[in-house]
Amino acid sequence: MSTIADVARLASVAKATASRALSGKGYVSEETRARVVSAARTIGYVVSPNAASLVTGRTKSVGVIIPFINRWFFAEVLEGIEIALLEQGYDMTLYNLPAASPERDRIFEYFLARKRFDAVISVGVALSETEVDQLHRLGRPLVGIGGPIRGVHTIAIDDVEAARLATEHLLSLGHVDIVHVGGVLVDEMDFEVHSNRLRGFTSAMTHAGLSTDGCFYASEFTLPGGYERGMEVLGDPRRRPTGIFAACDEIAVGIIVAARELGISVPADLSVIGIDGHPYADMFRLTTLEQHPREQGRLAVVSLLAELDNPTDHHAAGELTELPPRLVMRASTSGPRART
Amino acid sequence: MSTIADVARLASVAKATASRALSGKGYVSEETRARVVSAARTIGYVVSPNAASLVTGRTKSVGVIIPFINRWFFAEVLEGIEIALLEQGYDMTLYNLPAASPERDRIFEYFLARKRFDAVISVGVALSETEVDQLHRLGRPLVGIGGPIRGVHTIAIDDVEAARLATEHLLSLGHVDIVHVGGVLVDEMDFEVHSNRLRGFTSAMTHAGLSTDGCFYASEFTLPGGYERGMEVLGDPRRRPTGIFAACDEIAVGIIVAARELGISVPADLSVIGIDGHPYADMFRLTTLEQHPREQGRLAVVSLLAELDNPTDHHAAGELTELPPRLVMRASTSGPRART
DNA sequence: GCGATCTCTGGAATCGGTTCCATGAAGTTG
DNA sequence: CAACTTCATGGAACCGATTCCAGAGATCGC
């Protein structure tokens, strides 16, 4: 391994000059710069980020905390973050933090407390105040995705609004027997996301003068979860809703699969709407409210880098950037069949 | 931020002693160790991994190269890797390397060539010889998952065998009109996986005295991909196979969905078998050959750490660890209906 | 024409640890 | 009791960069 001293020697300059020439900061004549660069190339020199960050304090890498990898929303966010970071020469270290666990404390104390990261992104993890403080004390920017954390800039869709729009879509089509299949409320993944979507649903229903008693079913945010719940909700023909608002597209698709198995026609006998914009939505002709997780990941990175470049003003700290969900109509929703 | 010098001062010892006390290497009396540890605790000291790795050469982190995040197999592998690494106090830096691209060269030259990682795991990426050499020159262990790389220890299922077993399962049930829906062969993701599965299929068919002309369809490894291909394969009732071997479960499920839409009964009119052990398999009652991506990720980490502990012998270099796929029978396969 | 500013370069300090080496005390062996 | 070995500790070098500071020419304004 060659060091910058080797480069300096070969180019007959001091280490200081070689460093300036390669980093592009400070005065270096064009001629010596060229000589240093070529010297570096011939011996295949690459900087040691460790040594550099030891003195600069910057590591050019950010830590990402995420509860799942194998879930559409989270994987998309991750890809968005990764692409944006790579573009800026940063790399991404991943901590898969499943839930409250001993692991969790270890990650915070052992990994994040060390100054290995320039910044931290928390995706869909409800951080405790202690944890937020811990990260803030490092003086590193912290941004969240997916739900509000006190005092932390967070990027998310407006969940209440999205749920309200979805429910109102069904209401406007004439449905009155509507069920919401949403996330488990006391889930580790609940980050006000589940409760907010339920709130949007309830608000829209109440506003339309409808009761929501017995209209909520909790499900995992997966296709099999939706399928199971679908079988349960649709199993009894006497008390079957005409419209279902699913908290995510995978649940919605699971419900559609269940409906097909039960011989219930979508949308003639049952309208289904989801939230996400999952690739499956098109295939199952699912009406949905699109959010764009990749874009959310990208925005988090943009916000982070802005704060890194401008450490003085905490411009966006505690602020919530809410992205507007967009209704995409497909063939899974229509007016209810006239009742006998 | 407190340094080890602060700890040393507080405990009235030299930096060297403090370092030994905290790392547990070298002679330190029990009494002073306790004093140092308590001093470290009171001022909330944490080591700077940068400074440490500058002198030790170890970073306690590994780089992972992966072409997709949002695909079941890859996400599972990632979770397996992450859990295993965390357990050992390592962390994981992710490079999402979509395909041959300028990005790819940048990642190799800019990120991996620097000595930031103790080891590298390549998941489902066919590395070129140059790239392998580049990594080997770093003297860092390199292990692959998902397909053989020349001179690199790789962990994978035996794809040829898995495909042969799947095909033979259909053959043994009495099917003769069998189609294989597999991966695109000149895909960036092909890593001999697609071609090996096709080879296993062809081998089993040929062995049974059956032709494979026109029996191969290429699909994306996704549910919508399988659905599209399913519509195509099953669309024409006159030349419809009675059995389909899908190269992965998502394709298989897509085909089942297509079959249901076309009114084709599974398994009465059509048997479908996949490879993976995807969570959807159970819901769609899909017969499949299970592989265990999480376990593959874990094994890669084990192999890596073994080599790190024992740098002298390249025990597993170039070796291929092949995991046995296991047939899980569900209700998507049965004998073909008697032909008229 | 002369001090002030700008450009270029090298020496040395620094970041925060680990580890080699020297020193000395205590314990062991023959 | 002399000669080793083992244990415990401190001083100093070192890992590989960046950056501060000083000094030397060149340029510039007045």
Side-chain angles (χ1 to χ4, degrees):
Chain A
M1 289 299 102
S2 48
T3 77
I4 200 169
D6 301 328
V7 175
R9 202 173 312 121
L10 185 58
S12 317
V13 294
K15 273 169 55 186
T17 306
S19 174
R20 276 183 298 242
L22 293 172
S23 69
K25 333 200 70 157
Y27 292 118
V28 180
S29 76
E30 195 42 58
E31 188 213 348
T32 52
R33 154 171 291 118
R35 217 166 64 243
V36 170
V37 167
S38 111
R41 174 156 305 144
T42 56
I43 62 175
Y45 166 79
V46 279
V47 289
S48 157
N50 283 317
S53 68
L54 184 55
V55 37
T56 61
R58 292 297 188 80
T59 62
K60 280 279 196 177
S61 89
V62 332
V64 174
I65 316 175
I66 203 161
F68 306 99
I69 299 176
N70 213 345
R71 282 269 222 288
W72 179 77
F73 175 83
F74 295 96
E76 282 295 299
V77 166
L78 230 41
E79 292 195 6
I81 293 175
E82 151 77 7
I83 291 168
L85 283 179
L86 215 58
E87 217 165 78
Q88 304 294 326
Y90 280 74
D91 51 31
M92 169 178 102
T93 300
L94 200 58
Y95 296 105
N96 186 7
L97 198 76
S101 64
E103 285 301 303
R104 181 168 178 137
D105 293 341
R106 258 191 70 215
I107 287 180
F108 268 85
E109 304 206 346
Y110 182 57
F111 289 101
L112 296 174
R114 302 180 300 169
K115 17 202 136 122
R116 189 172 259 179
F117 305 115
D118 289 349
V120 173
I121 300 179
S122 165
V123 187
V125 176
L127 300 177
S128 73
E129 294 212 0
T130 323
E131 289 166 342
V132 172
D133 282 353
Q134 217 169 349
L135 291 174
H136 267 158
R137 255 201 307 278
L138 291 175
R140 304 296 184 212
L142 166 62
V143 1
I145 296 182
I149 313 177
R150 191 192 55 84
V152 176
H153 179 205
T154 302
I155 290 157
I157 59 164
D158 184 337
D159 286 300
V160 179
E161 178 66 7
R164 225 169 39 72
L165 287 173
T167 312
E168 279 172 0
H169 174 67
L170 293 175
L171 289 168
S172 74
L173 289 170
H175 293 271
V176 288
D177 292 331
I178 303 176
V179 154
H180 173 45
V181 179
V184 181
L185 291 180
V186 287
D187 199 346
E188 79 269 12
M189 175 189 154
D190 183 18
F191 192 29
E192 314 205 13
V193 171
H194 301 169
S195 46
N196 278 341
R197 292 186 186 175
L198 175 57
R199 190 170 315 143
F201 168 72
T202 309
S203 149
M205 291 289 277
T206 308
H207 202 80
L210 296 168
S211 159
T212 55
D213 282 357
C215 291
F216 173 69
Y217 290 76
S219 164
E220 281 221 323
F221 266 44
T222 63
L223 202 148
Y227 174 77
E228 262 181 58
R229 226 34 75 234
M231 282 299 191
E232 183 185 336
V233 174
L234 303 171
D236 184 352
R238 287 164 309 177
R239 35 193 303 280
R240 179 183 293 163
T242 64
I244 297 185
F245 157 47
C248 78
D249 283 354
E250 284 197 67
I251 292 178
V253 168
I255 291 170
I256 290 176
V257 171
R260 288 182 183 177
E261 258 178 51
L262 293 169
I264 300 167
S265 168
V266 174
D269 298 324
L270 177 73
S271 287
V272 180
I273 185 169
I275 294 182
D276 264 352
H278 193 287
Y280 294 177
D282 191 44
M283 167 180 159
F284 285 92
R285 279 149 281 163
L286 177 68
T287 297
T288 191
L289 282 138
E290 285 189 344
Q291 62 174 327
H292 294 273
R294 286 179 104 92
E295 178 66 5
Q296 293 181 39
R298 196 185 65 77
L299 285 176
V301 171
V302 168
S303 157
L304 224 52
L305 296 180
E307 202 172 331
L308 277 175
D309 288 344
N310 232 342
T312 45
D313 66 336
H314 281 253
H315 44 87
E319 193 191 301
L320 180 61
T321 302
E322 278 188 329
L323 273 44
R326 196 171 63 88
L327 179 66
V328 175
M329 274 196 268
R330 295 201 185 81
S332 72
T333 50
S334 73
R337 184 170 287 182
R339 285 285 166 106
T340 45
Chain B
M1 289 300 102
S2 48
T3 77
I4 199 169
D6 301 328
V7 176
R9 200 174 313 123
L10 186 58
S12 317
V13 293
K15 270 169 57 185
T17 306
S19 174
R20 278 184 296 244
L22 293 172
S23 69
K25 330 201 74 160
Y27 294 118
V28 179
S29 76
E30 195 42 57
E31 187 213 346
T32 53
R33 152 170 294 117
R35 218 166 63 243
V36 170
V37 168
S38 110
R41 175 155 305 143
T42 55
I43 61 175
Y45 166 80
V46 280
V47 289
S48 158
N50 282 317
S53 67
L54 185 56
V55 36
T56 60
R58 290 298 187 80
T59 62
K60 280 283 199 174
S61 89
V62 332
V64 175
I65 315 177
I66 203 162
F68 306 99
I69 299 175
N70 212 345
R71 282 269 221 287
W72 179 76
F73 175 83
F74 295 95
E76 282 295 299
V77 166
L78 230 40
E79 291 194 8
I81 292 175
E82 151 77 8
I83 291 168
L85 283 179
L86 214 59
E87 216 166 77
Q88 303 294 326
Y90 281 74
D91 51 30
M92 171 178 101
T93 300
L94 201 57
Y95 296 105
N96 186 10
L97 197 75
S101 65
E103 283 303 302
R104 181 165 178 141
D105 292 341
R106 259 191 69 213
I107 289 180
F108 268 85
E109 303 206 346
Y110 182 56
F111 289 102
L112 296 174
R114 302 180 300 171
K115 14 198 136 117
R116 190 171 258 180
F117 305 114
D118 289 350
V120 173
I121 300 178
S122 164
V123 187
V125 176
L127 299 177
S128 71
E129 294 211 0
T130 322
E131 289 167 342
V132 172
D133 282 354
Q134 217 169 349
L135 292 173
H136 266 158
R137 255 202 305 280
L138 290 176
R140 304 295 185 213
L142 165 63
V143 2
I145 296 182
I149 313 178
R150 191 192 55 84
V152 175
H153 179 205
T154 303
I155 290 157
I157 60 163
D158 184 338
D159 286 299
V160 178
E161 178 67 6
R164 225 170 39 70
L165 287 173
T167 312
E168 278 171 1
H169 174 68
L170 293 176
L171 289 168
S172 75
L173 288 169
H175 293 271
V176 288
D177 293 328
I178 303 176
V179 154
H180 173 45
V181 180
V184 180
L185 291 180
V186 286
D187 199 347
E188 79 269 15
M189 178 190 153
D190 184 16
F191 192 30
E192 312 204 15
V193 171
H194 301 169
S195 46
N196 278 341
R197 292 186 185 174
L198 174 56
R199 192 171 311 144
F201 167 70
T202 309
S203 150
M205 291 290 277
T206 307
H207 201 80
L210 296 169
S211 158
T212 54
D213 284 355
C215 290
F216 173 68
Y217 290 76
S219 164
E220 282 222 322
F221 265 45
T222 63
L223 203 148
Y227 174 75
E228 262 181 57
R229 228 32 77 235
M231 281 300 190
E232 184 187 337
V233 174
L234 303 172
D236 183 353
R238 287 163 308 177
R239 36 193 303 282
R240 180 182 292 163
T242 64
I244 297 184
F245 157 45
C248 78
D249 283 356
E250 284 197 67
I251 293 179
V253 168
I255 291 170
I256 291 176
V257 171
R260 288 183 182 176
E261 257 178 52
L262 293 169
I264 300 167
S265 168
V266 175
D269 299 323
L270 176 73
S271 287
V272 180
I273 185 169
I275 295 182
D276 265 352
H278 194 285
Y280 294 177
D282 191 46
M283 168 180 159
F284 286 91
R285 279 148 281 163
L286 178 68
T287 297
T288 191
L289 282 138
E290 284 188 344
Q291 63 173 328
H292 295 274
R294 284 180 106 93
E295 178 66 5
Q296 294 180 39
R298 197 185 63 78
L299 285 175
V301 171
V302 169
S303 158
L304 223 54
L305 295 180
E307 203 172 328
L308 277 175
D309 287 345
N310 231 343
T312 45
D313 67 336
H314 281 254
H315 44 86
E319 194 193 300
L320 180 61
T321 303
E322 278 187 329
L323 272 45
R326 195 171 64 88
L327 180 67
V328 177
M329 275 196 270
R330 295 200 183 83
S332 71
T333 50
S334 73
R337 184 169 288 183
R339 283 287 165 107
T340 46

